[in-house]
Amino acid sequence: MIARVLIIAGSDSGGGAGIQADIKAVTMLGGHAMTAITAITAQNTTGVQGVHPIPTDMVIAQIDSVVADIGVDAVKIGMIGSAETAAAVAERLTQPDLAQAAVVFDPVMVATSGSVLADDATIAAFKALLDRAMVATPNLPELEALGGEEAVLAHGCSLLVKGGHAEGETVIDRLYETGEGEVARWEAPRIDTTSTHGTGCTLASAIATGLAQGMPLEPAAARARDFVRLALLDAPGLGSGHGPMGQQMVRNDGLFTGPALNQITLPANDYAVSVAFYKQLGLTQIVDSPDNGYARFEAANGVTLSIHVGDGTAGGATTYLESGALDAWVAYLARRGVQFEQMPKDEGWGWREARLADPAGNRLCLYQAGEYRRYPPWRI
């Protein structure tokens, strides 16, 4: 069954953080996102212009609604809205229908822009949520407001201390367990970007998705960190302040624990001719190393294909390139001189395929699968 993640958090009208970032992260990692919205904000990349808390009984009603019908494997808590809502949510999470759900608590207090999102009474009420959480994910200022590492661990939850607010060119994140101290740490170069709005929300939701999928906490946190870093690198550069991340651009790079096809290298005879051919097919060249006879191209879904002059004998394999508009793609290429061995044809297994060879003789199949991509009739 698909992992079911309930997000209890505020809405960000700018789409960079809060519920909007949470849904993107859960969806891109293969989970089903459900929401209980605690507050509506008027917000963009420069700051928060207004906050409207949702009444506590309506927050609980949202939780009750999805739990009763869909069920919940993990819960991510972000902006909570008020002390009353924090207490009510903490109590609701102890009831039998949510008792087995893993809870990730991101104690949101201040937005990336500096706007305050939790008053002193609400922060004081966080203690009840820490009692129920499996892991808390504060940044350094939030950790200080909660009383430090020992104060958080005293509630019995694990603690992921995020190092993004520290100084230096290296970001260090640390995972602590009650009674064991630091059990894991990750160090990585700081990414130089202003598109950091929603990093905490995204990280916590990504962890919750991993837990909902049955991953242990440490690998779930490691995958979530990779997801956040890729989303920072792929940020779209929107807005004039702290812009949104690029969750929607994260592909399969580094996010699988098992084998996942990401790259194929094909032998080539003539570097320039092969490069021109694959660019003509519509792939984007991302590595150009003629001295080494090596070029790499990226497809629309993030998978890459390389050619390497002198690396093996051409013609021994077939590479498949997918299109949702095969006939138009093939007609476009044919008008520009590309020779096809087989024009688009419906095959018995449900795919529509065209066939050709590249300049080195490697065989290519251009295909359109549609709904049969994963569920062909013979398999069903």
Side-chain angles (χ1 to χ4, degrees), residues 338-357:
V338 176
Q339 299 296 313
F340 285 85
E341 298 170 3
Q342 173 183 304
M343 295 301 283
K345 174 185 173 184
D346 291 328
E347 304 288 0
W349 47 89
W351 288 13
R352 184 168 177 80
E353 297 185 356
R355 297 181 178 275
L356 71 162

Side-chain angles (χ1 to χ4, degrees), residues 21-366:
D22 297 323
I23 293 174
K24 293 176 193 175
V26 172
T27 302
M28 292 303 294
L29 287 169
H32 173 68
M34 303 167 288
T35 63
I37 298 176
T38 60
I40 299 171
T41 68
Q43 186 175 171
N44 55 31
T45 67
T46 65
V48 179
Q49 292 80 43
V51 178
H52 176 69
I54 301 298
T56 297
D57 58 354
M58 185 59 190
V59 175
I60 300 302
Q62 294 174 78
I63 297 173
D64 291 342
S65 180
V66 298
V67 172
D69 178 42
I70 300 173
V72 175
D73 299 306
V75 178
K76 181 265 177 163
I77 304 172
M79 179 185 179
I80 202 65
S82 69
E84 179 185 1
T85 297
V89 167
E91 192 282 327
R92 181 64 182 85
L93 292 176
T94 64
Q95 295 180 19
D97 55 3
L98 283 173
Q100 301 304 312
V103 176
V104 179
F105 179 32
D106 181 29
V108 175
M109 302 177 192
V110 179
T112 303
S113 62
S115 301
V116 176
L117 298 176
D119 58 21
D120 291 342
T122 302
I123 295 172
F126 284 174
K127 294 179 180 179
L129 294 170
L130 290 169
D131 288 337
R132 177 61 182 86
M134 176 180 181
V135 59
T137 62
N139 58 35
L140 294 178
E142 291 165 347
L143 180 61
E144 182 179 0
L146 292 171
E149 296 167 7
E150 295 303 321
V152 173
L153 292 170
H155 290 272
C157 63
S158 300
L159 170 64
L160 178 63
V161 179
K162 300 178 295 191
H165 283 70
E167 298 294 329
E169 295 303 311
T170 300
V171 175
I172 303 175
D173 300 326
R174 299 178 174 88
L175 180 64
Y176 293 84
E177 300 281 359
T178 302
E180 297 184 32
E182 183 181 311
V183 296
R185 72 162 54 193
W186 298 272
E187 300 185 17
R190 186 179 300 277
I191 297 173
D192 184 17
T193 178
T194 58
S195 298
T196 56
H197 193 39
T199 48
C201 304
T202 300
L203 179 71
S205 287
I207 294 173
T209 306
L211 296 175
Q213 292 168 333
M215 297 175 67
L217 176 57
E218 185 175 335
R223 185 182 72 166
R225 290 184 69 264
D226 287 341
F227 183 84
V228 168
R229 291 184 64 82
L230 289 168
L232 285 171
L233 292 169
D234 285 324
L238 301 176
S240 57
H242 294 282
M245 303 163 65
Q247 296 95 335
Q248 69 276 16
M249 296 301 295
V250 178
R251 304 297 184 182
N252 60 357
D253 307 69
L255 298 178
F256 290 96
T257 56
L261 182 61
N262 180 265
Q263 155 68 15
I264 294 174
T265 299
L266 296 174
N269 300 320
D270 187 308
Y271 181 83
V273 171
S274 290
V275 166
F277 174 81
Y278 282 103
K279 290 172 72 172
Q280 185 177 28
L281 284 187
L283 302 185
T284 301
Q285 187 173 6
I286 58 175
V287 175
D288 182 15
S289 183
D291 291 342
N292 296 314
Y294 181 84
R296 192 172 186 180
F297 307 86
E298 185 175 41
N301 62 348
V303 176
T304 58
L305 180 148
S306 299
I307 59 102
H308 196 180
V309 175
D311 184 14
T313 302
T318 302
T319 299
Y320 290 78
L321 299 174
E322 185 177 4
S323 171
L326 177 67
D327 290 65
W329 184 24
V330 170
Y332 172 86
L333 294 173
R335 287 195 301 270
R336 283 154 180 78
V338 176
Q339 299 296 313
F340 285 85
E341 298 170 3
Q342 173 183 304
M343 295 301 283
K345 174 185 173 184
D346 291 328
E347 304 288 0
W349 47 89
W351 288 13
R352 184 168 177 80
E353 297 185 356
R355 297 181 178 275
L356 71 162
D358 76 358
N362 299 298
R363 292 170 293 174
L364 301 174
C365 174
L366 312 186

